[in-house]
Amino acid sequence: MNINLTLIGQMVAFIVFVAFCMKYVWPPIVAAMQERAEKIADGLAAADRASHDLELAQKRAVEQMKAAKAEAASVIDAANKRANALIEEAKNAASAEAEKVKASALAEIEQEKNRAKAELRAELASLTFLGAEKVLGAAIDQSAHADLVSKLTAELH
Amino acid sequence: MQRESDMSGESQTISEYIVHHLTNLTYGRLPEGTVRYDGSVVGEGGQWAMAHGGEEIAAMGFNAVHVDSLAWSIGLGILFCWLFRRVAKQAQSGVPSGLVNFAEMVVEFVDGTVKDTFHGRNPLVAPLALTIFCWVFLMNLMDLLPVDLVPHLLGLAGVGYQKIVPSTDPNITMGMALGIFILMLYYSIKVKGFGFVKELTLNPFNHPAFIPVNLFMEVVGLLAKPFSLGLRLFGNMYAGEMIFILIAALFSAGIAWMLPAGLLQMGWAIFHILVITLQAFIFMVLTIVYLSMAHEDH
């Protein structure tokens, strides 16, 4: 319990240690801690920003998807229309062709019919002549009765 | 109780054992004419020597140094500086680990306490608080070493006395308290200037007639601060150390006392973990509060 020079010694040591701590210990540790705090704050801010960016990007992606879908739909629509138009055209062309073929066939038939009719008429006339010859027993002068024959032929129409 | 003395091989009573534990290893100047332990008389001009026993220490008076207190105290201070300097070198803004983590926790705790209490702007206060907290804690921590361990080992090496808990030495605690007191006075004058004189003379009774009364009361109040600061720590640690010594003495009371003494020792040590931390914390907080008061103008 004696107060002696130890007191002075301790005071000097105290001053030295405090000075050391103040100069070499406290500033670097606190600086490091502050720097870390700033770094963490920056990191958190960056994370916030990134999540915001992500949100924006997602929105944009959704919009682009929508646009793409709409475009695809319009393209499909146009294609469908075109296809329908093509089909329609082809149909029309086909039916026109068919009509033409049919008409020409009909014309041919008509022609054939007429030709056959004429032939038959001629045949009939000659047969009629032949029959009349037989019935009359004499030859009928073709030229003499040409009027008659032509009249008959006309009547046979 | 019979116990081999570290000094001379004489048998020792309990009170001798306790007194021996409470005596510092002292180096000092013996005044002229002192009769030494071996019967020789100190010659003219006195003599610097290691003290043998309490009488020689008493004869030395102020011209003496408690070698053990000062050595342990400075050693622990160097330990603190070395540890935290290492941390300060390693500390960067990356992920901290191990010792750095621990030191940063302490720094953050001290910084928080300083920011809560001290509202001025002074780059000294926080490092001062950190030094006080860690250093006082380390000095107090020596209390948890078994009381006989270090003194006995050093006794075998021929060192007569050894008190390994520096904070049980009033020189150590008062040395720090006086250092803080000087800082208080310095900042009081620096911050308040003439206001400091006014504070001492015109408080609490703001009338010129009361100046002597005010001065007396304020000076007593001012002086009470370093004394309460230093003596609180000293008293707490001294009492704690005393209990440890008494429990240690109980071990030699017979084989039947071994178990209860061991349990007491353990219980007191566990309780003391709280005390040493708390006392270090109180010393630090009061330092901050006193310096804060020195900075605040009324």
Side-chain angles (χ1 to χ4, degrees), chain A residues 11-149:
Chain A
M11 259 169 82
V12 172
F14 181 54
I15 291 163
V16 169
F17 287 139
V18 170
F20 181 86
C21 181
M22 193 180 160
K23 202 159 166 80
Y24 298 109
V25 173
W26 187 266
I29 293 181
V30 168
M33 282 165 70
Q34 242 162 21
E35 201 177 309
R36 183 174 321 122
E38 271 163 27
K39 227 171 162 183
I40 290 169
D42 286 353
L44 288 176
D48 272 356
R49 220 167 29 239
S51 74
H52 185 68
D53 285 355
L54 181 67
E55 215 170 275
L56 281 183
Q58 265 168 354
K59 249 185 216 163
R60 213 164 36 233
V62 166
E63 267 164 28
Q64 274 176 352
M65 205 106 106
K66 252 189 217 162
K69 263 185 193 160
E71 206 179 315
S74 75
V75 165
I76 288 172
D77 215 30
N80 275 341
K81 267 186 197 153
R82 177 99 186 95
N84 284 344
L86 278 176
I87 288 168
E88 203 64 28
E89 217 173 276
K91 246 189 207 163
N92 287 346
S95 62
E97 183 74 23
E99 211 63 33
K100 221 161 79 184
V101 168
K102 197 173 144 195
S104 75
L106 279 176
E108 211 170 312
I109 288 167
E110 194 66 23
Q111 222 173 359
E112 208 63 27
K113 208 167 92 185
N114 286 348
R115 203 160 36 98
K117 261 185 189 169
E119 242 168 64
L120 276 173
R121 237 182 268 135
E123 197 91 355
L124 187 63
S126 67
L127 274 175
T128 314
F129 270 109
L130 223 58
E133 259 177 4
K134 288 262 169 77
V135 170
L136 294 173
I140 298 169
D141 189 356
Q142 289 254 353
S143 54
H145 303 288
D147 282 350
L148 193 67
V149 170

Side-chain angles (χ1 to χ4, degrees), chain B residues 16 19 41 47 53 70 87 91 134 138 165 174 177 214 250 287 298:
Chain B
E16 275 169 357
V19 165
V41 178
Q47 180 192 1
L70 212 50
V87 168
C134 294
L138 285 173
V165 191
M174 284 312 296
N214 288 339
L250 201 59
T287 303
H298 286 286

